[in-house]
Amino acid sequence: MSKNLQVTIDKDSGFCFGVVYAIDMAEEILEEDGYLYCLGDIVHNDEEVARLKAKGLRIISHEDLQDLQNEKVLIRAHGEAPETYKFALENNITLIDASCPVVLKLQNRIKTSHDDQEKILIFGKHGHAEVIGLQGQTNNEAIVFQDIDELDQVDLPSKFTLYSQTTKSVDKFYAIKNELLARGYEVKANDTICRQVSNRYEDLENFSKQYDKIIFVSGKKSSNGKVLFDVCQSVNPQTYFVSDPNELTADIFSSNDTVGICGATSTPMWLMKKVKETIEGM
């Protein structure tokens, strides 16, 4: 028996311009050449990666890159460390650079700070592609931390410059800055969080309040997905995280529920539409 669910997709959810730019670039080359190497997942969404792989995208690691010569390789929106460019030059690899302009600007700022002999802290996720690229600008000397508690184990200089991965929580960044100031450090803080991400907080809060249930669609690897899911759940406890329509079960919904679907900046619109169709069929 149909549950008569009213399902709406958030029109502002989905790919940010950095991801759109990288995917458009990849699709253009795939159409011309039939294949293209990409350094790491082009986007933190397995379903979108699978769609592009079917068109000829070949995802490679930094180790795989060492074996390539005379090929084209796409650098995704997350950006890369200077060593990658150097290696490409030495091995006649053409880099198709789809680094997000917001990330590139941040890389340049961090490099300038490092060149000016500033001690650098980066609020970001360990091992995240963007963070590896940022750390590369400092000769890997920057201190990366996900949580302020991690810094209890670190012998910090009395004065340093603080940066953030572009997809982190603005509130958390400022809470960290204030706590470090309260601890007596001299902190030169740079809010380098992408506004296309942070402006979504308020939009998603408003969206999430309007429905009985919220289905948040995102890849499990997406940092930004984790932050935005928390935003939705904070205003609507009936928020569910799914990466694939198959993860949905009918018992989530009650008859006549209103359901809102939204997602991360790495979630494709076609996937949210697929989730909508699945829910409407329940």
Side-chain angles (χ1 to χ4, degrees):
M1 186 179 137
S2 168
K3 292 198 167 187
N4 190 30
L5 304 169
Q6 310 302 313
V7 190
T8 308
I9 296 176
D10 170 29
K11 62 176 181 6
D12 298 321
S13 278
F15 291 154
C16 60
F17 69 82
V19 172
V20 170
Y21 179 60
I23 288 173
D24 283 354
M25 215 180 253
E27 289 193 306
E28 215 168 282
I29 294 162
L30 288 169
E31 219 153 275
E32 278 171 33
D33 298 355
Y35 77 98
L36 173 65
Y37 291 102
C38 177
L39 197 51
D41 284 346
I42 188 164
V43 59
H44 284 153
N45 187 282
D46 293 344
E47 285 67 27
E48 180 65 4
V49 169
R51 184 184 76 82
L52 290 164
K53 274 184 173 172
K55 291 188 168 203
L57 191 71
R58 301 173 184 176
I59 307 287
I60 58 167
S61 66
H62 286 85
E63 287 73 47
D64 300 329
L65 185 69
Q66 308 296 318
D67 303 328
L68 284 190
Q69 275 182 330
N70 315 316
E71 288 284 3
K72 283 182 192 167
V73 176
L74 182 84
I75 288 181
R76 61 214 173 142
H78 300 102
E80 275 295 323
E83 299 84 78
T84 303
Y85 294 88
K86 189 167 167 274
F87 180 83
L89 211 57
E90 289 163 0
N91 290 273
N92 196 30
I93 291 169
T94 305
L95 291 180
I96 314 293
D97 198 342
S99 299
C100 169
V102 178
V103 174
L104 283 179
K105 188 176 166 194
L106 172 54
Q107 285 188 352
N108 288 333
R109 286 178 72 176
I110 287 182
K111 186 182 185 310
T112 303
S113 282
H114 179 68
D115 292 346
D116 290 345
Q117 315 283 301
E118 293 175 8
K119 300 287 183 208
I120 297 167
L121 263 66
I122 299 171
F123 168 45
K125 184 179 175 184
H126 295 289
H128 188 281
E130 181 193 321
V131 174
I132 291 168
L134 297 177
Q135 220 181 352
Q137 310 304 319
T138 71
N139 211 8
N140 294 327
E141 288 167 22
I143 296 167
V144 173
F145 67 102
Q146 283 176 198
D147 224 291
I148 193 142
D149 300 349
E150 288 175 42
L151 298 177
D152 296 345
Q153 267 64 75
V154 182
D155 189 15
L156 291 178
S158 60
K159 178 183 176 183
F160 51 79
T161 303
L162 176 66
Y163 287 99
S164 172
Q165 178 182 342
T166 58
T167 52
K168 282 296 188 193
S169 153
V170 176
D171 292 349
K172 200 165 173 195
F173 175 78
Y174 281 100
I176 285 166
K177 172 197 159 182
N178 292 334
E179 174 60 26
L180 289 168
L181 287 169
R183 290 182 186 183
Y185 294 106
E186 195 179 322
V187 184
K188 183 171 152 193
N190 295 278
D191 172 356
T192 49
I193 293 161
C194 174
R195 285 308 178 248
Q196 213 183 345
V197 174
S198 65
N199 290 347
R200 297 278 307 285
Y201 301 176
E202 206 176 319
D203 295 344
L204 277 178
E205 280 179 2
N206 293 334
F207 179 80
S208 300
K209 284 173 190 164
Q210 295 171 38
Y211 302 90
D212 298 318
K213 307 277 162 66
I214 293 292
I215 303 300
F216 187 86
V217 187
S218 170
K220 295 197 168 48
K221 293 180 204 162
S222 168
S223 291
N224 153 257
K226 166 109 187 57
V227 171
L228 295 179
F229 169 71
D230 289 345
V231 167
C232 296
Q233 204 177 36
S234 70
V235 295
N236 187 337
Q238 298 283 308
T239 298
Y240 300 85
F241 188 107
V242 300
S243 299
D244 185 282
N246 302 329
E247 293 170 19
L248 291 161
T249 54
D251 59 10
I252 291 174
F253 309 102
S254 306
S255 292
N256 304 315
D257 264 351
T258 57
V259 182
I261 296 171
C262 49
T265 51
S266 52
T267 304
M269 185 51 79
W270 64 261
L271 185 59
M272 287 186 277
K273 286 180 176 165
K274 224 166 127 180
V275 167
K276 181 176 191 269
E277 282 165 26
T278 305
I279 295 169
E280 284 173 339
M282 286 177 169

